[in-house]
Amino acid sequence: MFICGYHFPADMGNDVSFDKVIEKIEDGLDAAGKTVTLTSETREGQLLETIEVAEGSFAHKALVDYFNNTEVEEKNGFKMVYYTNKYQISEISKSVDGEATKDLCKKLDDMNLYRVKVA
């Protein structure tokens, strides 16, 4: 089972605890002081909005980890966030960040495309 890009043993099934995922993401990660910017766009490439992700939130840490560790090619300083990853980040963030990322998570659950930049 892959969650947020990390492999978990098959015997854990589809019920990997969020704590295990958070632990993997935070292991060795230095996200402090980094700015995470998401852009949303339509399938046709029309830019819809630019979103700043709250520092210290799980979503912030997960997107820094994704940007640093994904093999997705960087284009103009951004990397595409694929559907599975954005949904998984959203689900965990809803649970642990609550109101801090509520609006962000609602957006990540849509069908638009997202790119992430970490500076």
Side-chain angles (χ1 to χ4, degrees), residues 74-119:
E74 188 175 324
K75 183 178 177 184
N76 299 325
F78 287 85
K79 290 186 178 184
M80 180 66 71
V81 181
Y82 291 101
Y83 288 113
T84 302
N85 297 90
K86 72 182 188 108
Y87 292 136
Q88 291 171 341
I89 290 169
S90 173
E91 283 305 306
I92 297 171
S93 186
K94 286 177 199 174
S95 175
V96 299
D97 293 331
E99 289 296 317
T101 60
K102 179 181 176 184
D103 291 336
L104 169 67
C105 292
K106 186 174 183 176
K107 292 173 185 183
L108 290 177
D109 288 341
D110 66 21
M111 292 301 291
N112 291 323
L113 301 175
Y114 287 84
R115 297 183 190 275
V116 62
K117 181 177 188 175
V118 175

Side-chain angles (χ1 to χ4, degrees), residues 14-50:
N14 291 333
D15 195 26
V16 177
S17 77
F18 289 165
D19 291 340
K20 296 283 186 197
V21 178
I22 293 167
E23 184 179 303
K24 287 245 189 192
I25 287 174
E26 291 181 345
D27 185 34
L29 179 70
D30 181 15
K34 296 196 185 319
T35 302
V36 175
T37 306
L38 286 174
T39 59
S40 67
E41 58 191 69
T42 65
R43 288 179 24 195
E44 293 76 29
Q46 177 186 5
L47 183 66
L48 298 173
E49 70 179 309
T50 301

